Amino acid sequence: MSTRRRADTAAAYALLTPSLIGVGLFLLVPVVIVIGISFTRWDLVSPPQWVGLDNYVYIFGWPTFRNSLWVSVLFTALTIPTTIALGLILAVAINRRLPGTNALRVLYVLPWVCAPLALGVVWRWIFDPTNGALNALLGRRVEWLTDLNLALPSVAFVQVWSSVGYVSLFFLAGLQQIPNQVYEAARLDGASAPRTLWSITVPLLRPTMFFVLVTSIISSFQVFDSIYAMTRGGPGVPGRTDVIAARIYDEAFVALRLGRAAAMAVVLFAVLVTITLLQQRYFRRRITYDMS
């Protein structure tokens, strides 16, 4: 290796060092600590006791944990396709540069920048069966958050409402990277608007789609604040909105079973890593980065 190449390599490692230290301190170390806690019995008062795999054996045989995982899967299945479809439609509409587009961009992203807990409190009032704004508008009483069949779709609606503007901004950035010549060629060939969207826009947005899909699924599995403010995991036993993040919080800070909560967090981490790797494998050969 030449002297110049060694100097460039040393400079590259020197520039990477602060980032590597940050990743190690704030990502890897906490993960290792949580994995270590998951093999203990700890109530924050007594010293941790090593229990091996007991926490994992317990949670996989615990119906409440299995229900929470299933609720999180259903919640993700309800929110992600709707959010991505609406986000793409909004981005296409905004990209047409109609009057008032800049104001709409701000309005779309406002719910995302608000605190999820505050949004949950506001929507709990809106869904209130007695004094809520939604039932007053409909002129009939509907138990949006206490009906066993309506609770999960109701909280999923709030999640879609709060995140669709954020997602549309990523799609908008992707749309603005597509050369106009591609669309002009499609128009010359007589392609209709739906055909252009399906055959040109969607394939060329796959890099953005991959990023949005990965981050949205991770966020969906980690939703806690807004749902906890609206339903606290209910209604019913097991809770119809008892998502996995809320179950981890209850086990750690209400029941003070940190070892069991850490085991749940490790399982959630493994699920998210597996989903991300599967998505990466699916998109690897379907992404086109060069649009020149």
Side-chain angles (χ1 to χ4, degrees), residues 99-170:
T101 298
N102 290 332
L104 288 176
R105 290 180 188 178
V106 176
L107 289 176
Y108 291 151
V109 83
L110 268 181
W112 184 77
V113 300
C114 293
L117 188 61
L119 292 179
V121 172
V122 171
W123 276 99
R124 185 175 182 175
W125 168 74
I126 293 174
F127 284 136
D128 187 272
T130 304
N131 302 311
L134 187 54
N135 282 354
L137 192 65
L138 295 175
R140 57 190 289 247
R141 182 185 177 92
V142 180
E143 304 283 347
W144 296 103
L145 298 178
T146 54
D147 186 283
L148 295 179
N149 297 317
L150 289 179
L152 188 60
S154 297
V155 297
F157 169 80
V158 175
Q159 174 68 13
V160 171
W161 170 82
S162 64
S163 57
V164 68
Y166 174 71
V167 168
S168 71
L169 290 183
F170 283 104

Side-chain angles (χ1 to χ4, degrees), residues 54-274:
D54 285 3
N55 288 325
Y56 292 94
V57 173
Y58 181 87
I59 63 172
F60 281 115
W62 192 23
T64 302
F65 174 70
R66 294 201 300 269
N67 172 73
S68 296
L69 267 182
W70 178 239
V71 169
S72 291
V73 170
L74 285 179
F75 181 78
T76 302
L78 285 173
T79 56
I80 298 304
T82 312
T83 303
I84 289 179
L86 291 178
L88 180 58
I89 292 171
L90 279 177
V92 171
I94 295 173
N95 197 41
R96 292 180 181 277
R97 303 179 189 281
L98 298 174
T101 298
N102 290 332
L104 288 176
R105 290 180 188 178
V106 176
L107 289 176
Y108 291 151
V109 83
L110 268 181
W112 184 77
V113 300
C114 293
L117 188 61
L119 292 179
V121 172
V122 171
W123 276 99
R124 185 175 182 175
W125 168 74
I126 293 174
F127 284 136
D128 187 272
T130 304
N131 302 311
L134 187 54
N135 282 354
L137 192 65
L138 295 175
R140 57 190 289 247
R141 182 185 177 92
V142 180
E143 304 283 347
W144 296 103
L145 298 178
T146 54
D147 186 283
L148 295 179
N149 297 317
L150 289 179
L152 188 60
S154 297
V155 297
F157 169 80
V158 175
Q159 174 68 13
V160 171
W161 170 82
S162 64
S163 57
V164 68
Y166 174 71
V167 168
S168 71
L169 290 183
F170 283 104
F171 281 130
L172 180 61
L175 284 172
Q176 293 179 347
Q177 299 301 314
I178 300 176
N180 286 328
Q181 295 88 333
V182 178
Y183 290 113
E184 290 172 2
R187 278 194 291 272
L188 290 175
D189 288 340
S192 62
R195 178 71 175 177
T196 302
L197 176 67
W198 184 253
S199 300
I200 295 178
T201 303
V202 171
L204 292 181
L205 276 180
R206 278 176 182 157
T208 308
M209 192 81 72
F210 171 68
F211 173 79
V212 168
L213 197 57
V214 169
T215 55
S216 297
I217 288 178
I218 292 173
S219 299
S220 181
F221 270 92
Q222 293 178 336
V223 164
F224 164 69
D225 316 58
S226 57
I227 292 181
Y228 206 74
M230 284 189 284
T231 64
R232 292 189 180 275
V237 179
R240 293 300 176 94
T241 62
D242 188 25
V243 292
I244 186 66
R247 177 52 38 203
I248 292 173
Y249 173 83
D250 276 343
E251 284 299 303
F253 303 110
V254 179
L256 294 181
R257 293 187 284 255
L258 266 75
R260 198 177 295 173
M264 293 180 188
V266 172
V267 172
L268 175 61
F269 177 74
V271 169
L272 293 177
V273 169
T274 303

